[in-house]
Amino acid sequence: AVRCRESCYYCGLSDLALGAPLVRVPNDEEWKELFPHAVHERNTYMVAAMNSNSAEVPKSGDSMDIDSDDNKKFLTVRVRVGGELVSSKTDMADNNKNYDQAMQQFLPRNPFGFQSELKFRDESNLSFLSGSLSAHEVCAAAAQKSRKDNFLRDRKDAFKDFLMKGAAMACGKSTPIGLDRWGRSYWVFSAEPKSLFICEIIPSSDDVSPPTKKWHRFAKPEEIASVIVGLGKETPCEMLKEVYPEAVGLVKDRLWSTLLFARSRSKTDHVVASPSDDKKDSADENGQDTGPPFVEDEDVLVESEDGSFLWDAVVVDVAKDPETARVTSYLVHYKNWNSRFDQWVAPDRVVEPSKNNLEVQEEVMGEFSAACNATPDELKGMFAFEFFDAKKRAKGKTRTAFEVFDCVSVGKYGSHDEKLLGLLKGALLMIEAALPRGSVATNEDGHWNPESAALWRSLVKSSVGPETLMRCILVLEDAISPEWYHEHATQLYAAVPTQFKAMGGASLSAAALRVSILDRCLKYKKLA
C-alpha cells in the first residue's frame, strides 16, 4: 500500500533498498514559502473531497485500486491571492512550539497510501505537509534540518550586516544599504536621514567611455513607500522597511497612492503666475509671499522636516530655476554641526531670525527639554518614581530622566510590543536609579562599581527583546543585598519561576511581572 517505483531525491535509493516508504517532500522554493507560515503556526493546506467517478485517481504500476467506503477521492488544495499563499491560524494540541515537527508531517508518495493518510489526517484534524519531491522520511528530516540551519544563518548574517550599516551611518560613513537585481544601489546619507537615494549605473554607448551614475532622490514618505511596493520581495526591501518606518506605515494603511495622486492633482490644477506681475516674483509654488530670497552667508532659521523645531543655520548656496530665476532650494549649514550634515532644503522651510521667530525657537526647545526630563505617565505609579531623583542614591548624579524618556520614545508607528518593551526598559532604569546607597556594592571592587553599572544600563537600553531584558532583571536582582528586600519578598518571588526557568520562558508579560515584584519588594527609604 505504500510502495512506489520512484527513488529518493536525496540518496537515490528506492523504498525497498532502504526499507522505508517514500513521502512527498517540498523542494527548496516550496519550503521557503511554507516555512514562514509554519513558524507562525498557520496552515496553508485544505482538503477537498470529490466523487471518485468524476475524476480518476492517478495510478502507478504497483498501486492498488482505492476501495473507499464513501467513494471519495481526497485532494490537497492551496489558495493564492495576488500571488501570495493564503493561510489560517491553527490550534496546536499543546503549548510547546515545535516548528521541526510542523514541517515533517509528510504524506506518502504512493497514491493509495496518500489517500488513506490524507483522509485520516483530515478526519483527525491533524496537520500535514506535501511537496513535489519524493524522498525517504529520514532523508526529508535531514533536509529540513539543513534548510532551517541555512535559513537561520542567512538571517543572522543579514541582521549583522544591518547592524554594521546602521553603525556606519551613525558614524557618518556612507555605505549602501542594499542592491537590487538590476544593479541599482540604495543609500541613506547622514545629512538627509529621511531621504532615500538610488544610484543607477548607466552603461556608455561605446566601449571606451566609462559608465555614468544617475542619482534619484526620494524625500517624501509616500515616494519611499512607492519604491518599497515596487520592489516587492526583492533583496533591499526588508532593509528599507527597517530604515523608513513611516513609509511602511503608509504602505500598511494604503495611503501612499492617495498622497501621490493628490500631489499630481495639485500640480495639474496649479495656475502659474504671470511673469509681468512684479509683486508675485517672490511668491512660492502655493502663491504665498516668501519675501526677498536669502543670499549666501546669511544667517537663517531652518524648520525641521516634521515642523517641530527651528535650527540655527547659514546659507551656503542658492539654487534657482534657470527659466524663471525663482529660488528652488537652499544649501544650508547648521551651526555647531559638522559640514557632512549640510543639506538642501525647500524655501518654505527657511525663515529669517526675527525676534518673533527666535522666541518661538526658544519656546519649542524649552518644551522639548521639559518633556525629556519628565517621567512618562505610565511609570508614575511605581514606588521607585518617588525616589529616583532623591538624595543618597547608589547611582549618584546622572541624567536618569532623559534615559527613561529615550527608552520609552518608540515612535508613532511602533508596535504594541515595542512600546511595552520601551516602558519596561524605562521602569528598570528607574528602579536602578532609585536604589538606596548601600543596597548594592558600588566600590571599585564591588559587583556594582560605576563601570559595571554603566555597562548594565547600556545593555538595558539596547535590549531588543524579552530575553535580553530578562537577563538584565535577573542581574539586578542578584546584585541587591537581601537586607534591602521587604519581608514579603520571599512570598512574592515564590510565586514566580526560578531564575533558570525565567530565562527559558522569557516573555514581555513575564518581564513586566518581575519588574513589578522587584519594585514592590525594595526598601527605597532605608539608607546605609
Side-chain angles (χ1 to χ4, degrees):
V2 293
R3 289 187 55 192
C4 59
R5 294 184 179 276
E6 299 183 31
S7 59
C8 177
Y9 175 81
Y10 299 106
C11 67
L13 300 177
S14 64
D15 50 0
L16 288 178
L18 200 60
L22 297 180
V23 295
R24 303 169 187 241
V25 182
N27 58 29
D28 289 341
E29 294 299 324
E30 294 170 339
W31 186 91
K32 291 178 181 178
E33 187 178 36
L34 293 172
F35 185 70
H37 295 275
V39 168
H40 293 89
E41 306 172 33
R42 303 186 68 86
N43 181 31
T44 58
Y45 286 96
M46 295 187 296
V47 177
M50 303 174 58
N51 293 327
S52 59
N53 55 7
S54 62
E56 293 294 332
V57 179
K59 298 180 181 180
S60 58
D62 57 350
S63 64
M64 300 176 60
D65 291 337
I66 301 175
D67 186 14
S68 177
D69 295 338
D70 53 0
N71 199 27
K72 295 287 186 181
K73 173 188 175 183
F74 293 88
L75 302 174
T76 59
V77 179
R78 291 190 296 173
V79 179
R80 296 180 184 274
V81 176
E84 296 291 335
L85 196 61
V86 178
S87 60
S88 60
K89 190 71 174 180
T90 59
D91 296 329
M92 300 188 68
D94 51 24
N95 295 327
N96 296 324
K97 297 181 180 180
N98 191 336
Y99 306 129
D100 289 333
Q101 183 179 1
M103 294 295 292
Q104 294 178 13
Q105 304 298 316
F106 305 112
L107 296 173
R109 170 56 65 182
N110 177 273
F112 181 80
F114 171 80
Q115 292 290 315
S116 177
E117 182 70 17
L118 185 60
K119 177 183 177 182
F120 169 75
R121 289 185 173 273
D122 181 48
E123 294 175 349
S124 304
N125 197 24
L126 298 175
S127 62
F128 59 87
L129 185 70
S130 186
S132 59
L133 301 180
S134 300
H136 298 106
E137 189 168 358
V138 62
C139 297
Q144 151 68 15
K145 183 179 184 304
S146 176
R147 287 167 173 168
K148 187 187 71 172
D149 293 342
N150 292 336
F151 178 83
L152 294 177
R153 184 181 65 251
D154 293 342
R155 294 293 295 179
K156 289 180 180 179
D157 292 342
F159 185 68
K160 179 181 178 181
D161 185 54
F162 173 75
L163 292 179
M164 293 180 63
K165 290 176 180 178
M169 286 190 292
C171 297
K173 297 181 179 179
S174 297
T175 57
I177 61 176
L179 298 170
D180 59 20
R181 60 177 177 174
W182 296 281
R184 295 176 298 198
S185 56
Y186 295 73
W187 300 74
V188 180
F189 297 112
S190 56
E192 295 188 51
K194 292 188 177 182
S195 299
L196 170 65
F197 293 84
I198 301 179
C199 180
E200 181 181 4
I201 305 298
I202 301 178
S204 59
S205 57
D206 51 33
D207 298 335
V208 180
S209 303
T212 58
K213 295 182 179 180
K214 183 179 181 181
W215 288 88
H216 306 272
R217 176 175 176 265
F218 301 87
K220 301 295 183 181
E222 57 268 23
E223 298 174 353
I224 301 174
S226 66
V227 175
I228 294 176
V229 173
L231 285 173
K233 292 186 177 181
E234 295 294 332
T235 305
C237 185
E238 293 298 326
M239 190 69 67
L240 293 179
K241 291 180 180 179
E242 295 286 346
V243 179
Y244 302 101
E246 188 173 357
V248 174
L250 294 179
V251 174
K252 291 181 179 179
D253 298 336
R254 301 180 181 180
L255 296 176
W256 63 276
S257 57
T258 305
L259 295 175
L260 288 178
F261 178 76
R263 288 174 53 188
S264 61
R265 182 73 177 271
S266 63
K267 290 181 180 180
T268 305
D269 297 341
H270 176 63
V271 179
V272 180
S274 173
S276 60
D277 191 354
D278 296 335
K279 295 183 180 180
K280 295 184 179 180
D281 286 345
S282 60
D284 62 3
E285 295 180 355
N286 296 323
Q288 297 176 351
D289 189 8
T290 59
F294 298 100
V295 297
E296 296 182 17
D297 299 329
E298 185 175 356
D299 292 335
V300 294
L301 295 177
V302 180
E303 186 180 22
S304 60
E305 293 187 1
D306 58 357
S308 302
F309 303 99
L310 289 174
W311 303 108
D312 294 318
V314 59
V315 177
V316 178
D317 197 1
V318 182
K320 296 182 178 181
D321 190 328
E323 296 181 357
T324 62
R326 178 179 297 171
V327 175
T328 57
S329 59
Y330 292 101
L331 177 63
V332 297
H333 169 72
Y334 295 102
K335 295 182 179 180
N336 301 322
W337 286 80
N338 193 287
S339 59
R340 67 170 178 263
F341 294 101
D342 294 358
Q343 66 175 160
W344 289 94
V345 297
D348 57 355
R349 289 177 52 192
V350 182
V351 297
E352 62 177 345
S354 62
K355 182 179 180 180
N356 181 55
N357 290 337
L358 291 174
E359 291 178 355
V360 173
Q361 179 192 35
E362 185 178 358
E363 180 180 352
V364 170
M365 292 303 296
E367 293 177 355
F368 178 74
S369 177
C372 292
N373 291 286
T375 303
D377 295 335
E378 295 86 348
L379 303 182
K380 290 183 178 180
M382 297 179 58
F383 292 97
F385 172 69
E386 184 181 351
F387 300 94
F388 85 103
D389 271 340
K391 298 180 179 179
K392 298 183 179 180
R393 301 293 111 180
K395 183 179 179 182
K397 296 181 179 179
T398 51
R399 296 192 64 187
T400 305
F402 180 78
E403 292 177 335
V404 173
F405 173 81
D406 189 46
C407 290
V408 176
S409 301
V410 177
K412 60 180 179 180
Y413 292 108
S415 64
H416 176 269
D417 289 347
E418 291 173 339
K419 294 178 181 178
L420 179 57
L421 180 63
L423 285 173
L424 292 178
K425 291 193 290 186
L428 197 56
L429 291 173
M430 184 181 296
I431 292 176
E432 190 264 344
L435 290 178
R437 188 180 300 169
S439 59
V440 289
T442 56
N443 54 341
E444 294 184 0
D445 298 331
H447 48 261
W448 208 256
N449 56 61
E451 183 178 354
S452 300
L455 177 60
W456 179 87
R457 287 190 289 271
S458 176
L459 291 175
V460 172
K461 290 184 285 188
S462 61
S463 297
V464 294
E467 294 83 6
T468 311
L469 188 64
M470 181 64 77
R471 189 179 296 111
C472 296
I473 296 172
L474 299 179
V475 169
L476 182 60
E477 289 178 355
D478 288 339
I480 300 174
S481 178
E483 291 80 8
W484 267 262
Y485 281 99
H486 285 293
E487 291 73 13
H488 62 272
T490 305
Q491 298 176 354
L492 289 176
Y493 275 103
V496 297
T498 61
Q499 292 189 350
F500 178 77
K501 291 184 177 181
M503 281 303 306
S507 63
L508 289 177
S509 57
L513 177 61
R514 207 139 192 134
V515 169
S516 177
I517 292 178
L518 180 60
D519 181 51
R520 292 175 179 272
C521 291
L522 290 178
K523 298 179 181 179
Y524 293 109
K525 295 182 179 180
K526 180 179 178 180
L527 300 176

